[in-house]
Amino acid sequence: METTSEPPLDAKSDVTNQLVDFQWKLGMAVSSDTCRSLKYPYVAVMLKVADHSGQVKTKCFEMTIPQFQNFYRQFKEIAAVIETV
Amino acid sequence: MAAGELEGGKTLSGLLNALAQDTFHGYPGITEELLRSQLYPEVAPEEFRPFLAKMRGILKSIASADMDFNQLEAFLTAQTKKQGGITSDQAAVISKFWKSHKTKIRESLMNQSRWNSGLRGLSWRVDGKSQSRHSAQIHTPVAIIELELGKYGQESEFLCLEFDEVKVNQILKTLSEVEESISTLISQPN
């Protein structure tokens, strides 16, 4: 029995990308011109992603520690679900 | 009548709230004249201006130093003893304000100092196995993850990523390394 092979995208972006590389660093913001005592750790991520044509783009973003923990928790959920499918 | 003598705690609280909205949370349109006319209508503009500047300066100093409650009390006490400083009633109002708004103001300061995109949201779904009569290949389950990214004050950008099970587990391993790093950092004395 034939079923559709391409999942319909209801996502807000038009294109799904493949993750080519995931780099990370853990940083500590110490001080800034607007705040002398910042003192917060953050996780900086650099993703390399390839679209359908093979073109590779770099995307960088940062997460606070609570955001990272939520990110990690979501990936664990995804892993649990994908295992059972 | 001087601004300092005029207000009750509630008015100064309102002023501090508006100042925080303007200075830290980026709320537009909070002008000096708006504040004066709404909160201190009986105070002359030329008198209100230095009063406003003083309050804004105090709030910025407290936020910038991320004062704990001991530092806050010491700082405010010093302000009450200064020439042209604040009254002890005003000090009490400011102290109460900082204690209840500190977390939110800190969060805004953190957001303002992040010049990269932040992670605003994450949604995902897992698509199941499918097979085709005409193709020998069985499609493996795939996770589709949508990241919502955005720089401070700018609109979101959405990034859609596809992962198979192998990839998901690779990422999970990387994330556990990140978590280990975080644990090490947190367990170290400052």
Side-chain angles (χ1 to χ4, degrees), chain A residues 1 3 7-8 10-13 15 17-19 36-38 40 59 61-62 67 72 74 78 85, chain B residues 64 106 110 113-114 117 119 122 124-125 127-131 146 157-158 160-162 167 171 176 178:
Chain A
M1 166 151 146
T3 52
D10 55 346
K12 292 180 188 68
S13 99
V15 175
N17 301 275
Q18 296 292 322
L19 184 67
R36 291 293 184 265
S37 181
L38 276 174
Y40 72 88
K59 296 284 180 192
F61 63 93
E62 286 179 23
Q67 282 176 334
Y72 188 19
Q74 301 252 34
I78 293 168
V85 167
Chain B
S64 185
R106 289 278 305 154
M110 276 161 54
S113 72
R114 183 198 300 130
S117 293
L119 181 65
L122 191 167
W124 58 271
R125 70 165 197 267
D127 287 354
K129 289 189 168 85
S130 60
Q131 29 190 136
E146 183 183 76
E157 177 196 352
F158 294 90
C160 210
L161 299 170
E162 221 175 72
K167 206 84 201 220
I171 302 295
S176 77
V178 179

Side-chain angles (χ1 to χ4, degrees), chain B residues 170-188:
Chain B
Q170 280 174 358
I171 302 295
L172 222 49
K173 184 162 177 292
T174 304
L175 296 180
S176 77
E177 289 167 8
V178 179
E179 192 176 64
E180 215 182 291
S181 253
I182 292 171
S183 300
T184 307
L185 176 71
I186 289 174
S187 66
Q188 278 169 0

Side-chain angles (χ1 to χ4, degrees), chain B residues 114-176:
Chain B
R114 183 198 300 130
W115 299 324
N116 251 330
S117 293
L119 181 65
R120 289 181 179 166
L122 191 167
S123 41
W124 58 271
R125 70 165 197 267
V126 172
D127 287 354
K129 289 189 168 85
S130 60
Q131 29 190 136
S132 165
R133 183 171 43 194
H134 304 296
S135 152
Q137 187 186 28
I138 295 173
H139 298 277
T140 51
V142 106
I144 298 177
I145 294 165
E146 183 183 76
L147 300 176
E148 183 182 356
L149 307 174
K151 291 195 163 107
Y152 176 72
Q154 291 180 21
E155 273 183 31
S156 289
E157 177 196 352
F158 294 90
L159 179 65
C160 210
L161 299 170
E162 221 175 72
F163 297 86
D164 60 21
E165 193 173 348
V166 169
K167 206 84 201 220
V168 169
N169 286 319
Q170 280 174 358
I171 302 295
L172 222 49
K173 184 162 177 292
T174 304
L175 296 180
S176 77

Side-chain angles (χ1 to χ4, degrees), chain B residues 73-106:
Chain B
E73 294 311 312
F75 175 73
L76 290 175
T77 304
Q79 294 297 310
T80 60
K81 295 189 159 54
K82 261 173 69 168
Q83 176 80 284
I86 59 177
T87 66
S88 48
D89 285 345
Q90 289 170 336
V93 172
I94 295 168
S95 177
K96 190 165 168 225
F97 179 82
W98 177 244
K99 285 171 186 173
S100 52
H101 290 82
K102 173 176 174 158
T103 307
K104 204 161 162 240
I105 290 175
R106 289 278 305 154

